[in-house]
Amino acid sequence: MNYTFYETSVLFFTYSFLAWLAETAVATIKEKNFRNRGFASGPFCFIYGFTGIVLAIFMQELKENTFFLFLGSMAVATAIEWFTGKALEGMKKKKWWDYSGKKWNFDGYICLQYSVLWGVLGALSVRYINGFIINIYNILPGFAGKAAIWGLIVTGITDWSGSVISVCHMEEKLPGLLRWNHKLQKWTRQFATKVSLHIENRILKAYPVTVQENAAKEEEGTKAGKCSFVQLLWLLVIGAFLGDIVETIFCRLTAGVWMSRSSLVWGHFSLVWGLAIALLTALLYKDRDKPDNYIFWTGVFLGGAYEYICSVFTEIIFGKVFWDYSSMSFNLGGRINLLYCFFWGIAAVVWIKRLYPLMSNFIDIILKKTGRVLTSFLLVFMVFDICVSVMALIRYDTRSDGQQAIYKWEQSMDKYFGDAKMERIYPNAIAK
């Protein structure tokens, strides 16, 4: 089932609201005092809404296989929970929740019992609940339903933006959003009987500071520096290049042929690898002193979830399957397999423990010698390369369906990126 924009939106806000109700009720009963458990001011937990639509889109193909649907939902939802926890910790240098006291926890952000719960809830939502919510939405008159969705979107964007501003202490730069957020807080308080007046105070009450960096750790973090956007951009490009080279050599050794493994029409760049390197570094570079097994299992789990999502995403957008592991043992839908998940884990250890420190120093040398000029050129080139590659792949797909080139960009793609050239660049792309 392909969800429309409005159906996806109604799922997002429904799950955000229901999660807010559940989290707030549990916290209120536990604390014996009202607790608004949302990051935003309104009655929404947006991370649950995001998780809901990710599962709805990417787990749809597993709908008829309950066991794999459960496993897939558990893996993806747990990965999102861990990623969110690490991202929030990066913003405020503290944990917003902590499962360290629970058995079978990992990094204090995820634990087995909640992962199993996410798997059950995810399977139920994909098989039954999503359809039920969409049917209720379709009962509404068309104009009224769309107007309500757009109202929620505007409110949600404004609410979330104001909350980020408050958490990042940028109130003086955008006071208007903060005034709107205070009004929304007041309405939420009336709806839920009692809500804290200030966003950050409310968040701190809802998520007690369980682990905060001590002075020594802060000093260490300062010395280590931040993984800036510029550094991440260079890591993406370098990781994409190295990933393409590694995959090309691997195909030569295992299949006996040289073949292109690039994601882009110009240059040897595998974006799947580049994005993975950038994300892995952003999430784990502060944890590089932790044991190898911690880095390994993080890589196994997150790498598998990441590869699965990339596979579904590219198939939905471009109508092509770029890799298929159906012939390998312990695979999930042909999109991931256990062997390569272990490879993601090994790659994570090698990268974080060995290659990243060297690469970070190398990037610093480049930036000192070239300043921002080479970086700006690199950014423009990569954006242009990605845009052209996307257009070429879209046209490659529509051309295979027999659609004639009508617009100028389609004619340009036919002229410069015909079927023969696209087959050389993407030899494993299979139409679905």
Side-chain angles (χ1 to χ4, degrees):
M1 176 180 180
N2 294 322
Y3 294 103
T4 66
F5 168 78
Y6 292 101
E7 290 173 341
T8 303
S9 299
V10 78
L11 289 176
F12 174 80
F13 284 104
T14 299
Y15 284 125
S16 296
F17 175 69
L18 292 177
W20 176 85
L21 280 180
E23 287 259 2
T24 300
V26 171
T28 300
I29 294 173
K30 185 176 180 179
E31 300 293 332
K32 298 182 180 179
N33 189 18
F34 182 81
R35 290 289 184 269
N36 182 357
R37 293 288 285 185
F39 173 81
S41 299
F44 300 107
C45 286
F46 290 132
I47 186 60
Y48 288 91
F50 174 75
T51 304
I53 60 174
V54 167
L55 295 179
I57 295 172
F58 294 105
M59 295 292 111
Q60 189 67 30
E61 64 181 7
L62 301 177
K63 186 175 181 179
E64 302 305 321
N65 191 320
T66 304
F67 178 70
F68 283 114
L69 176 60
F70 164 76
L71 289 181
S73 300
M74 182 175 69
V76 171
T78 303
I80 292 175
E81 183 180 27
W82 186 85
F83 177 85
T84 303
K86 297 292 285 189
L88 290 174
E89 182 182 356
M91 292 173 59
K92 294 296 289 182
K93 309 303 180 189
K94 64 187 69 171
K95 287 188 175 180
W96 291 41
W97 65 86
D98 189 10
Y99 300 146
S100 298
K102 298 181 180 294
K103 291 183 178 181
W104 307 106
N105 80 86
F106 181 78
D107 203 25
Y109 283 121
I110 58 177
C111 63
L112 181 60
Q113 49 265 61
Y114 282 130
S115 294
V116 172
L117 177 62
W118 301 146
V120 172
L121 293 177
L124 290 175
S125 67
V126 172
R127 293 202 66 173
Y128 306 109
I129 302 175
N130 290 346
F132 178 73
I133 294 172
I134 297 301
N135 289 336
I136 292 179
Y137 169 74
N138 289 333
I139 295 175
L140 299 174
F143 175 78
K146 292 179 180 179
I149 291 298
W150 280 110
L152 287 171
I153 290 173
V154 172
T155 301
I157 292 175
T158 307
D159 186 7
W160 186 84
S161 300
S163 297
V164 171
I165 290 169
S166 178
V167 168
C168 295
H169 302 293
M170 297 187 297
E171 294 88 343
E172 295 181 358
K173 296 182 180 180
L174 293 167
L177 273 176
L178 267 295
R179 286 196 294 270
W180 163 253
N181 262 47
H182 287 313
K183 290 182 180 180
L184 191 57
Q185 280 185 323
K186 182 178 179 180
W187 298 334
T188 306
R189 182 174 63 251
Q190 292 173 347
F191 172 73
T193 70
K194 186 177 181 182
V195 176
S196 305
L197 293 177
H198 190 274
I199 299 172
E200 187 166 356
N201 289 336
R202 172 181 54 74
I203 292 175
L204 291 175
K205 288 181 180 180
Y207 297 91
V209 181
T210 55
V211 178
Q212 190 165 5
E213 293 182 350
N214 55 36
K217 206 167 183 179
E218 287 180 355
E219 183 179 353
E220 179 185 349
T222 303
K223 292 180 180 178
K226 292 184 177 180
C227 200
S228 65
F229 170 79
V230 173
Q231 191 177 52
L232 289 177
L233 172 64
W234 277 95
L235 289 175
L236 185 150
V237 175
I238 294 172
F241 176 75
L242 293 178
D244 180 85
I245 298 301
V246 169
E247 284 212 25
T248 301
I249 295 174
F250 181 79
C251 288
R252 173 61 180 174
L253 295 176
T254 57
V257 295
W258 293 106
M259 69 170 65
S260 170
R261 302 300 296 166
S262 177
S263 304
L264 305 179
V265 293
W266 292 313
H268 295 281
F269 301 108
S270 176
L271 282 184
V272 172
W273 277 94
L275 287 171
I277 289 295
L279 287 172
L280 183 71
T281 304
L283 291 172
L284 291 180
Y285 81 103
K286 290 183 179 179
D287 297 332
R288 57 188 176 275
D289 293 329
K290 290 189 175 181
D292 289 356
N293 61 347
Y294 170 90
I295 304 295
F296 172 79
W297 287 111
T298 301
V300 169
F301 187 79
L302 293 182
Y306 168 77
E307 187 175 17
Y308 188 95
I309 290 175
C310 285
S311 175
V312 178
F313 177 80
T314 52
E315 182 179 327
I316 292 174
I317 299 300
F318 304 119
K320 304 286 185 182
V321 175
F322 290 90
W323 61 85
D324 186 4
Y325 304 139
S326 299
S327 60
M328 301 183 68
S329 302
F330 305 107
N331 77 86
L332 181 59
R335 302 188 185 280
I336 60 175
N337 70 81
L338 189 60
L339 177 62
Y340 287 165
C341 285
F342 285 156
F343 181 76
W344 281 109
I346 295 171
V349 174
V350 173
W351 175 257
I352 293 296
K353 295 286 190 176
R354 299 288 185 268
L355 297 181
Y356 168 68
L358 298 175
M359 202 61 64
S360 180
N361 293 333
F362 174 69
I363 293 172
D364 288 340
I365 293 173
I366 293 177
L367 294 178
K368 287 179 181 179
K369 290 183 177 295
T370 64
R372 304 294 178 180
V373 177
L374 185 57
T375 302
S376 299
F377 172 79
L378 186 66
L379 177 61
V380 172
F381 171 76
M382 291 301 295
V383 170
F384 186 68
D385 197 359
I386 291 171
C387 290
V388 173
S389 300
V390 169
M391 290 190 294
L393 282 166
I394 291 175
R395 181 56 191 148
Y396 184 31
D397 182 46
T398 57
R399 191 165 56 234
S400 66
D401 292 335
Q403 298 182 25
Q404 297 298 315
I406 300 176
Y407 303 103
K408 288 186 177 180
W409 73 268
E410 293 177 316
Q411 296 169 2
S412 298
M413 293 302 106
D414 287 353
K415 180 179 179 180
Y416 295 105
F417 301 101
D419 288 345
K421 188 170 185 177
M422 293 298 285
E423 287 171 3
R424 288 197 303 271
I425 299 173
Y426 306 103
N428 287 337
I430 303 172
K432 286 294 284 187

